[in-house]
Amino acid sequence: MSDHIEVNFDGLVGPTHNFAALSPGNVASALNGGSESQPRAAAIEGLEKMRQLIRLGLVQGFFPPQRRPAADRLAALGFGGSPAERCAQAAREDPALLVRLSSASSMWTANAATVIAAPDSGDGRVHLVTANLATMMHRAVEADETFAMLARVFRDSARFAVHPPLRPARHLGDEGAANHMRIAPAHGAAGVNIFVYGEAQQGDFPARQSRRAGEAVARLAGLKPGGALFLPQAGRAVQAGAFHNDVVAVANETVVLFHADAFEDGAAAEAQMSAAMPGLHLIRIDGIGLDEAVKTYLFNSQLVSLPEGGAALILPREVKDHGRAWAAVERILAGDNPVRRAIVVDVRGSMRNGGGPACLRLRVPMPRAALDGVDPAFLLSEARIDGLQALVDRWWPDRIAPADLLTPDLWAAAGAASDALERHIAGH
Ligand code: SUG
């Protein structure tokens, strides 16, 4: 058994999961804006995905959803009274603000932080740099609480270094691990960290990740020379709806799977990646269009190393349902590379807001022994997943229509669900 593992921390879908079209450049979010959501079903889907990873023999963790609507934020903005009174005032005076403070977007934990593995960092610790999520207001409000949560979960400072969000955020857009790929001979060996960033806006849709943010992460973690590679994301990929690099590329150990149009200069990117690590399997997919990549989220699969050797792709159902995307998967499986299995999961609720299997998880490579330094309340077994499913069944709203976000009933229901989850975690 390897002494170095990767733990996936999935975000539990929150009780206010809804479709508010808050993310320009995210095609699914725009398309589904205004439709009714199913928070309970979406949370159960996510938990089932976590269960599948456990059944593969992998270590699985979770992060709780942040409390929404964020009534504490409303207080900081001058809304007065009890949490419900603050929400009521905001609903009257600035409903668009209340909607932004009601998003369950903290579920996409690939955007919680950038993680630098222990073998790559200057001090041998795992480094987590909290993402500032500066580009979208509903996401920027996550950052401070995410920092506090990460410090709580990764509590052993001899093993983990948790950094606050980069500031000034507006000038250092940072969306975390969604724009970072690590290549290495194995999780436990020294690797190369690929930071993919967006150049200045090239169309209607914003690029969210700045090059400077990646440079700061590299410095903060003490990356060794040669331990970092900076690649510009293709402007046309961003304009096609790849608002994060993980919509068009994914890497794991010796494999990089990417769309032919993912990088600004594809040939140069391939040459640089190959030069950075001998023995790399570069799997370039050109049989499907960028629009199909965005629609199916083929590249937002999780690519995980299996305990028995080889790797598996954890794919969204939308890939299986799409002829050309599925044909690409079959070619990957037949090819000369470590990918052995394709496992299909259903995370439809999250997908409809542009969050696939890989968006829902923060991967944290660590020495197995470092698990002792993680708060066990955030590590899962199948029995603990059963417990969370029962909780979600009881407390998560069945449906949310956009207008519900402005009603006291929903604030009360969401608050009760968050209280129940807090008690559940405290009772662990
Ligand atoms: O930031 N969607 C998220 C999806 C994040 C996906 N994460 C990764 N690719 N790693 C976003 O755009 C939509 C919310 C709404 O429209 O209601 C949203 O925030």
Side-chain angles (χ1 to χ4, degrees):
M1 202 182 269
S2 163
D3 68 338
H4 220 99
I5 56 172
E6 177 181 88
V7 185
N8 285 289
F9 288 85
D10 279 49
L12 176 61
V13 175
T16 63
H17 166 55
N18 72 90
F19 301 117
L22 297 179
S23 285
N26 172 339
V27 175
S29 149
L31 223 55
N32 294 304
S35 59
E36 201 175 68
S37 67
Q38 299 180 4
R40 188 185 304 156
I44 301 283
E45 286 167 358
L47 285 162
E48 279 306 318
K49 170 166 97 72
M50 301 181 220
R51 190 189 295 280
Q52 298 235 33
L53 278 272
I54 291 180
R55 289 191 174 162
L56 289 175
L58 303 176
V59 183
Q60 180 70 45
F62 85 107
F63 294 150
Q66 296 188 2
R67 196 174 272 269
R68 296 288 182 270
D72 53 343
R73 289 279 161 178
L74 290 174
L77 294 173
F79 295 92
S82 69
E85 284 165 347
R86 284 173 238 157
C87 290
Q89 188 189 349
R92 283 192 309 274
E93 294 176 7
D94 192 350
L97 173 68
L98 182 61
V99 167
R100 278 158 185 74
L101 295 182
S102 300
S103 176
S105 56
S106 67
M107 72 171 87
W108 297 297
T109 55
N111 307 119
T114 307
V115 184
I116 302 297
D120 304 347
S121 75
D123 58 9
R125 294 188 293 172
V126 179
H127 284 250
L128 299 99
V129 180
T130 309
N132 60 34
L133 291 164
T135 308
M136 305 282 163
M137 182 185 188
H138 69 292
R139 304 232 50 190
V141 294
E142 296 170 34
D144 290 335
E145 190 178 330
T146 297
F147 173 50
M149 191 261 313
L150 293 172
R152 174 176 172 196
V153 176
F154 301 99
R155 61 188 181 186
D156 180 358
S157 59
R159 302 252 186 212
F160 301 100
V162 180
H163 302 267
L166 303 174
R167 307 269 190 236
R170 184 166 138 50
H171 302 278
L172 292 162
D174 180 13
E175 306 254 334
N179 298 301
H180 169 256
M181 302 189 286
R182 176 173 196 262
I183 50 176
H187 288 319
V192 176
N193 294 269
I194 303 173
F195 297 92
V196 184
Y197 61 94
E199 297 285 14
Q201 188 154 341
Q202 295 181 16
D204 290 341
F205 296 157
R208 301 198 204 176
Q209 184 74 27
S210 69
R211 178 177 173 123
R212 275 205 181 99
E215 290 170 346
V217 170
R219 275 189 300 270
L220 286 165
L223 285 187
K224 302 165 184 108
L229 198 59
F230 294 88
L231 298 179
Q233 192 187 5
R236 64 191 174 289
V238 177
Q239 297 314 316
F243 53 96
H244 291 138
N245 174 62
D246 70 1
V247 176
V248 282
V250 58
N252 181 59
E253 295 191 324
T254 62
V255 178
V256 185
L257 171 65
F258 58 101
H259 189 275
D261 291 327
F263 305 108
E264 189 61 45
D265 181 344
E270 286 189 39
Q272 286 182 72
M273 290 190 281
S274 298
M277 206 195 102
L280 196 61
H281 299 272
L282 289 176
I283 309 179
R284 183 199 327 109
I285 304 292
D286 48 19
I288 65 170
L290 274 173
D291 56 333
E292 293 170 309
V294 169
K295 194 167 152 214
T296 62
Y297 266 39
L298 165 61
F299 300 92
N300 203 259
S301 303
Q302 287 177 251
L303 184 53
V304 296
S305 305
L306 296 167
E308 66 268 27
L313 276 171
I314 316 294
L315 298 145
R317 196 181 83 186
E318 286 74 358
V319 173
K320 178 100 201 202
D321 295 344
H322 187 279
R324 261 195 303 279
W326 189 249
V329 173
E330 289 180 327
R331 281 197 300 278
I332 296 167
L333 289 171
D336 176 21
N337 64 63
V339 185
R340 305 267 174 279
R341 299 181 62 181
I343 295 163
V344 177
V345 293
D346 189 345
V347 287
R348 233 168 111 78
S350 169
M351 283 284 286
R352 296 185 70 217
N353 248 339
C359 301
L360 283 164
R361 61 88 177 97
L362 184 68
R363 56 208 305 204
V364 184
M366 64 176 89
R368 191 174 285 274
L371 275 174
D372 291 344
V374 178
D375 184 335
F378 302 96
L379 293 172
L380 293 174
S381 60
E382 283 208 57
R384 290 211 65 214
I385 290 183
D386 293 342
L388 286 170
Q389 281 188 341
L391 185 102
V392 164
D393 258 332
R394 162 128 196 243
W395 294 101
W396 263 232
D398 181 28
R399 283 162 197 283
I400 297 181
D404 297 338
L405 296 174
L406 306 180
T407 64
D409 282 355
L410 182 73
W411 311 329
S418 294
D419 290 344
L421 178 62
E422 255 170 41
R423 285 194 302 272
H424 185 84
I425 292 172
H428 167 70

